Amino acid sequence: MIPSPFLFLFIFIYFLSKLNLKSVFSSLAGHNGLVAAAYLQKGGLNTAVLERRHVLGGAAVSEEIIPGFHFSRCAYLLSLLRPHIYADLELKKHGLRVYMRDPHAFTPMLEEGVNGAAPRSLMLGSDLARNQMEIGKFSQKDAKAYPEFVAHLEKLAAAVHPLLDAPPVDIPGLTAGSLRKRMTAAKTLKPLVKCGLKLGGNIPDFYELVTAPIMKILTRWFESEPLRATLATDGVIGAMTSPSNPGSGYVLLHHVMGELEKEKGAWGYVEGGMGGVSQAIASAARSYGVDIFTEKDVGQILVDSDGVKGVTLKDGSEIRSNVVLSNATPYVTFKDLTPQAALPPEFIKAVDQIDYTSPVTKINVAVDKLPNFLAAPTPDNKPGPHHQCSIHLNCESVEVLETAYRDAMNGRPSVRPMLEMTIPSVLDPTLAPPGCHVVSLFTQFTPYHILGREWTEQDREAYADTVFDWVEQYVPGFKKSVVGRDILAPPDLERIFGLTGGNIFHGSMSLDQLYLARPLPSLSDYRSPIKRLYLCGSGGHPGGGVMGSPGWNAALTALADLKQH
């Protein structure tokens, strides 16, 4: 099931001389790893990054899969990157440019228009008055309730921010050891206290949101199916769950807690594709002195009785080091890269139980003309506001999403999948030749195995054909416009990007794998059972998305440990 180990491994060599930390090596340059390298270098360590692939970025990468067409091949939108990282690393100075989207969501209906009119659609953006007009097409009651719902959700999301930029509470430190150790550990309570103070009387609402099915929340607020289904997609995106399953409320919160260009909850396209984020972070890291190497494939972490000693590469060369930060998934780190004899059997058993279930098949499409939607037709191949949105197809009702989920749980790709379409070339002309466009189709729900067997090329093509047939119903002529396509089922996301199980978050964002239990209770502080081996990827707190927080938190943890020794 797991490919050869490679993704996001950071190896750091250091020498101590009066706490003057020197020389660090790292391997595989995803965005969290690059963030970690930059901050370690700023903290006094000379850092080198080893990347297995020929291109930097891990899952946040741009690739020219079809000549002339540049795709955000895996991750495709930016919002969650923490503002202090954005500012500290001066990413704008290092070439990061973002195209802001407004409006941001478009849900066309599959229906016959009345009296020759176009089918209805729902479009949402930053203009609340405009949103209310759009929602009013389906329910005046919902239109009235929507601004209060948005304000409520923003308040809850803002309260979480202190938890993102620090490791979870140090429970062992608080409950054992010397008084000095407990006093130090007490400082880790500060972000939790800040979160509680921000929530105030909203603590019960917050608790309900993170534990409840998102449909319980949405049904309380709204009655119209298109609005509920559109909002519910953010509760299941990237997760093998349905809107009726507990915990889907937190997935929604995770996707609204970001900001872009100081605009809360905004999402945007990175110029040149999502690889632009990784390139900007890499440029910042290099400016501090970090060395970055591509096509360096790590084979194994070297360990002895005193802890980490370095790594061996697949070419047989050996790098000696005293510190390793791994941005691979916990499974790859501890099952593929670490000698099993060096880990406690009960720890290995716990790692085996981490949930990496993924529902995602990503399809990248090159087209020779702009999709023209029946629900919002535009003349002369010119883009309308809806073309810059996340376009939700097969989202007329929540039952459509539930049925798609049940298909995958029964071991089959959905026959009517949930589709999120984006067309970043509408705002970013660097991605495609003139008159042409790149289309991203983030699709759910597809299982890792089809009725217990591996995906075949025929399976991939058949599923993509199903997806295109559905797109065609909203966009007549879409299939004829296709120049080429890149189909990435869950096993492909694992093989190419090292995402165990194809899970884009490095592990499910379920309640049993969050905060103090992410990815395991014994790993929530980024420290592994092996001395000086740390996790710095999305498998750690606070989780997935192009956020940078796991890399930031892990780097500060490693630096603090080094200074104590």
Side-chain angles (χ1 to χ4, degrees), residues 447-466:
Y448 186 89
H449 292 103
I450 299 178
L451 297 174
R453 63 172 175 79
E454 303 291 330
W455 282 70
T456 65
E457 195 58 31
Q458 184 178 358
D459 292 326
R460 290 177 180 83
E461 295 295 335
Y463 176 71
D465 287 344
T466 296

Side-chain angles (χ1 to χ4, degrees), residues 24-161:
V24 182
F25 289 85
S26 79
S27 166
L28 241 177
H31 83 280
N32 273 311
L34 291 167
V35 167
Y39 279 101
L40 284 160
Q41 183 78 30
K42 289 182 74 174
L45 297 154
N46 296 323
T47 307
V49 178
L50 311 178
E51 163 68 43
R52 183 198 69 95
R53 298 188 71 204
H54 65 287
V55 59
L56 294 175
V61 67
S62 302
E63 295 189 66
E64 187 178 2
I65 304 301
I66 297 158
F69 295 84
H70 300 267
F71 296 97
S72 294
R73 200 176 182 198
C74 190
Y76 58 103
L77 285 170
L78 186 67
S79 172
L80 298 174
L81 186 63
R82 299 300 297 137
H84 70 89
I85 295 173
Y86 202 124
D88 285 353
L89 302 185
E90 300 180 287
L91 297 185
K92 277 191 175 182
K93 172 183 151 183
H94 290 283
L96 180 60
R97 182 180 177 187
V98 180
Y99 294 92
M100 302 292 287
R101 307 187 314 166
D102 191 18
H104 55 74
F106 175 63
T107 305
M109 300 292 103
L110 266 188
E111 62 183 14
E112 294 292 332
V114 179
N115 296 326
R120 292 176 300 168
S121 62
L122 173 66
M123 190 155 59
L124 302 174
S126 63
D127 186 333
L128 281 178
R130 177 66 181 169
N131 290 342
Q132 288 180 293
M133 288 177 59
E134 288 282 313
I135 296 168
K137 292 186 289 188
F138 303 94
S139 167
Q140 287 297 326
K141 178 183 175 183
D142 288 358
K144 185 177 180 180
Y146 186 73
E148 186 181 350
F149 171 77
V150 171
H152 179 69
L153 209 58
E154 287 178 349
K155 186 181 297 183
L156 299 184
V160 177
H161 288 167

Side-chain angles (χ1 to χ4, degrees), residues 143-471:
K144 185 177 180 180
Y146 186 73
E148 186 181 350
F149 171 77
V150 171
H152 179 69
L153 209 58
E154 287 178 349
K155 186 181 297 183
L156 299 184
V160 177
H161 288 167
L163 302 182
L164 304 180
D165 300 323
V169 174
D170 181 4
I171 299 296
L174 286 170
T175 57
S178 65
L179 178 61
R180 182 178 179 181
K181 183 178 179 181
R182 294 188 186 202
M183 292 294 290
T184 300
K187 296 177 183 177
T188 65
L189 286 167
K190 188 176 179 181
L192 197 61
V193 172
K194 280 186 177 180
C195 176
L197 290 174
K198 281 192 171 186
L199 285 171
N202 291 306
I203 288 177
D205 293 328
F206 177 79
Y207 177 80
E208 181 185 41
L209 180 63
V210 299
T211 59
I214 189 57
M215 279 314 299
K216 179 181 178 183
I217 307 298
L218 294 178
T219 301
R220 184 181 304 155
W221 283 88
F222 305 119
E223 63 183 10
S224 59
E225 280 296 317
L227 178 60
R228 292 196 297 192
T230 298
L231 297 174
T233 61
D234 277 342
V236 299
I237 196 81
M240 186 63 90
T241 191
S242 87
S244 297
N245 286 352
S248 51
Y250 176 76
V251 180
L252 169 67
L253 189 65
H254 188 80
H255 283 89
V256 302
M257 64 176 58
E259 68 176 76
L260 203 56
E261 303 290 337
K262 298 183 179 180
E263 185 179 330
K264 304 293 184 184
W267 291 77
Y269 300 120
V270 177
E271 184 173 77
M274 286 296 287
V277 178
S278 301
Q279 291 293 343
I281 300 171
S283 176
R286 288 189 183 102
S287 75
Y288 304 135
V290 176
D291 294 312
I292 300 175
F293 302 92
T294 57
E295 299 182 279
K296 298 295 182 182
D297 196 357
V298 174
Q300 191 174 62
I301 299 170
L302 297 174
V303 179
D304 68 10
S305 58
D306 188 46
V308 165
K309 291 300 176 185
V311 299
T312 56
L313 302 183
K314 290 289 185 66
D315 63 10
S317 57
E318 190 174 285
I319 300 174
R320 288 284 170 174
S321 73
N322 288 336
V323 180
V324 172
L325 275 76
S326 173
N327 193 21
T329 69
Y331 190 98
V332 170
T333 301
F334 298 112
K335 295 288 288 186
D336 292 345
L337 295 179
T338 306
Q340 299 299 276
L343 295 168
E346 62 273 14
F347 177 81
I348 296 173
K349 185 176 181 180
V351 170
D352 281 330
Q353 300 306 307
I354 298 172
D355 180 13
Y356 292 99
T357 311
S358 170
V360 174
T361 290
K362 176 81 183 299
I363 306 177
N364 299 301
V365 191
V367 296
D368 61 13
K369 68 176 182 180
L370 185 69
N372 199 6
F373 292 84
L374 287 175
T378 54
D380 304 322
N381 206 36
K382 292 182 179 179
H386 58 288
H387 283 106
Q388 64 183 268
C389 296
S390 289
I391 301 161
H392 302 282
L393 307 181
N394 287 339
C395 293
E396 283 82 359
S397 72
V398 174
E399 182 54 34
V400 173
L401 309 184
E402 295 280 359
T403 302
Y405 167 72
R406 287 194 293 270
D407 284 346
M409 292 304 291
N410 287 325
R412 300 183 298 270
S414 303
V415 296
R416 187 179 180 182
M418 181 185 102
L419 308 177
E420 182 172 291
M421 171 192 279
T422 53
I423 315 171
S425 49
V426 166
L427 295 179
D428 179 5
T430 70
L431 298 176
C436 298
H437 289 278
V438 295
V439 175
S440 167
L441 291 166
F442 194 83
T443 81
Q444 294 179 216
F445 292 81
T446 53
Y448 186 89
H449 292 103
I450 299 178
L451 297 174
R453 63 172 175 79
E454 303 291 330
W455 282 70
T456 65
E457 195 58 31
Q458 184 178 358
D459 292 326
R460 290 177 180 83
E461 295 295 335
Y463 176 71
D465 287 344
T466 296
V467 169
F468 283 26
D469 286 344
W470 282 108
V471 175

